[in-house]
C-alpha cells in the first residue's frame, strides 16, 4: 500500500526531485505544458510522441528526453516500457477527436478515436503499470475531459465523449485494483483549452459563441493552466488521492 509522505512541509510535498516521468502526446499543447511543469517541479521527463521532428524539438527546449511512440500499438508500448528504467509518473495525454455527426461517422473514424483515446491509455497503463506495481510505487494520471461527464454541443463528437467517459471509469477501476499495491491512478478533465484543435473549432462562429457563453469564466483555459493539476496528482501532495478526476473547466460542468 502507499505510505503517507514523511515531510510535513507543504511546499516539499509538491517537489518531484529524483522522480522519473513519461508524458505521451507531449510534443505540443497540454501535453507539452505538462512535461514542462513536471520538469520544473524536479522530475526527469521523457516526452513520447508519434511526431519525432516536433517531439524532439519540444523535448530539447525543456531539457527532456524523447522517445517515439504510437500508443495504439501495444507491442511498441511494451517495448518502450521494457527499455526505460523504473518509472515514477505516467501521464497518458495522447488523444484525438473527430467532429462528425453520429449517423455519418465512418467505422475508421470511430475506431481510431477509440484506439488512441481508450486502447492507448490502457496499453500504457498496463505496461508501465507493471513496472510501478513491481516497485510498489507510482502515480498514473490520464487526460480525460469534461466531455466524459457531459455531452458537448453544438459540435457532434459522440465518439470522443464516449472515449473520455471510458478513461474516467478506467481510472476508477485501476485505482481500486492497484491502490493496495502502491500505485495511484487519477485523471484530469480539462474544459475548452487553447490548443490547436480547439482554436480551429473557434473558427466556427456557432461553436465559439456557445463554448464561451456556457463557460462561466467566459474564456478558454491556457494549456499551462492544466499542468499544475497534473503536478499535484503526480506529487506527494496528493498522497491520499486515487480514483479521482480533477475537473479544470472554468466552471463549464456546473451549469
Amino acid at each position: 500500500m502507499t505510505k503517507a509522505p514523511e515531510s510535513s512541509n507543504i511546499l516539499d510535498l509538491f517537489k518531484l526531485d529524483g522522480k522519473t516521468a513519461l508524458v505521451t502526446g507531449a510534443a505540443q499543447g497540454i501535453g507539452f505544458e505538462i512535461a514542462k511543469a513536471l520538469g520544473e517541479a524536479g522530475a526527469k521527463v521523457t516526452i513520447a510522441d508519434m511526431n519525432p521532428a516536433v517531439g524532439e524539438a519540444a523535448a530539447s527546449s525543456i531539457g527532456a528526453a524523447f522517445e517515439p511512440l504510437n500508443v495504439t500499438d501495444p507491442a511498441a508500448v511494451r517495448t518502450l516500457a521494457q527499455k526505460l528504467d523504473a518509472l515514477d509518473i505516467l501521464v497518458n495525454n495522447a488523444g484525438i477527436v473527430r467532429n462528425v455527426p453520429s449517423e455519418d461517422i465512418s467505422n475508421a473514424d470511430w475506431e481510431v478515436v477509440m484506439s488512441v483515446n481508450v486502447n492507448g491509455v490502457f496499453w500504457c497503463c498496463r505496461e508501465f503499470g507493471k513496472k510501478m506495481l513491481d516497485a510498489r510505487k507510482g502515480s498514473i494520471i490520464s487526460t480525460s475531459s469534461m466531455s466524459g461527464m457531459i455531452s458537448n454541443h453544438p459540435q457532434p463528437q459522440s465518439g470522443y465523449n464516449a472515449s473520455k467517459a471510458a478513461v474516467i471509469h478506467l481510472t476508477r477501476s485501476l485505482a481500486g485494483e492497484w491502490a493496495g499495491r502502491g500505485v495511484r491512478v487519477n485523471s484530469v478533465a480539462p474544459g475548452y483549452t487553447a490548443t490547436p484543435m480547439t482554436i480551429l473549432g473557434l473558427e466556427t462562429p456557432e461553436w465559439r459563441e456557445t463554448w464561451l457563453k456556457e463557460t462561466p469564466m467566459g474564456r478558454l483555459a491556457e494549456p499551462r493552466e492544466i499542468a499544475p493539476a497534473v503536478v499535484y496528482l503526480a506529487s506527494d501532495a496528493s498522497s491520499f488521492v486515487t480514483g479521482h478526476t480533477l475537473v479544470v473547466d472554468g466552471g463549464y460542468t456546473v451549469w
Side-chain angles (χ1 to χ4, degrees):
M1 64 182 66
T2 58
K3 297 180 180 179
E6 296 180 2
S7 175
S8 59
N9 184 307
I10 187 64
L11 295 181
D12 285 345
L13 295 178
F14 288 90
K15 294 179 180 177
L16 300 175
D17 296 350
K19 302 208 173 194
T20 56
L22 177 79
V23 187
T24 69
Q28 60 183 348
I30 292 173
F32 175 75
E33 293 296 336
I34 289 171
K36 181 180 177 184
L38 292 172
E40 290 174 349
K44 181 179 178 182
V45 178
T46 297
I47 285 176
D49 199 277
M50 281 188 66
N51 190 326
V54 178
E56 287 175 359
S60 177
S61 73
I62 59 172
F66 174 77
E67 291 286 348
L69 180 65
N70 178 355
V71 298
T72 69
D73 182 349
V77 175
R78 183 178 302 113
T79 296
L80 181 57
Q82 292 171 346
K83 174 182 177 180
L84 297 180
D85 293 331
L87 188 68
D88 300 298
I89 301 159
L90 168 66
V91 182
N92 295 304
N93 177 74
I96 61 171
V97 66
R98 293 289 185 269
N99 295 119
V100 182
S102 296
E103 68 273 22
D104 297 326
I105 194 168
S106 67
N107 293 350
D109 276 346
W110 177 272
E111 289 168 359
V112 73
V113 168
M114 293 300 167
S115 184
V116 175
N117 295 2
V118 183
N119 294 352
V121 170
F122 180 71
W123 305 147
C124 289
C125 286
R126 181 182 67 182
E127 298 305 327
F128 292 104
K130 290 175 184 177
K131 302 176 78 71
M132 294 179 175
L133 291 167
D134 286 344
R136 301 195 68 80
K137 64 185 179 70
S139 177
I140 297 174
I141 307 103
S142 297
T143 303
S144 55
S145 173
M146 68 176 186
S147 303
M149 302 174 173
I150 52 93
S151 177
N152 305 64
H153 73 104
Q155 74 277 21
Q157 54 180 52
S158 63
Y160 181 82
N161 297 349
S163 73
K164 291 303 184 178
V167 170
I168 290 170
H169 205 57
L170 177 61
T171 293
R172 294 192 186 105
S173 299
L174 294 177
E177 190 172 343
W178 291 350
R181 299 166 68 187
V183 179
R184 296 188 298 112
V185 188
N186 294 287
S187 78
V188 170
Y192 290 116
T193 305
T195 62
M197 184 170 63
T198 303
I199 291 172
L200 182 63
L202 290 176
E203 295 178 4
T204 302
E206 183 186 8
W207 295 13
R208 178 186 182 89
E209 179 183 1
T210 301
W211 294 357
L212 296 180
K213 181 179 68 176
E214 298 196 6
T215 300
M217 293 184 72
R219 65 175 178 87
L220 304 184
E222 292 296 327
R224 65 178 181 275
E225 293 182 284
I226 309 302
V230 177
V231 172
Y232 165 68
L233 291 173
S235 73
D236 285 343
S238 62
S239 58
F240 203 56
V241 178
T242 197
H244 180 66
T245 293
L246 178 52
V247 181
V248 189
D249 69 350
Y252 191 99
T253 54
V254 304
W255 284 347

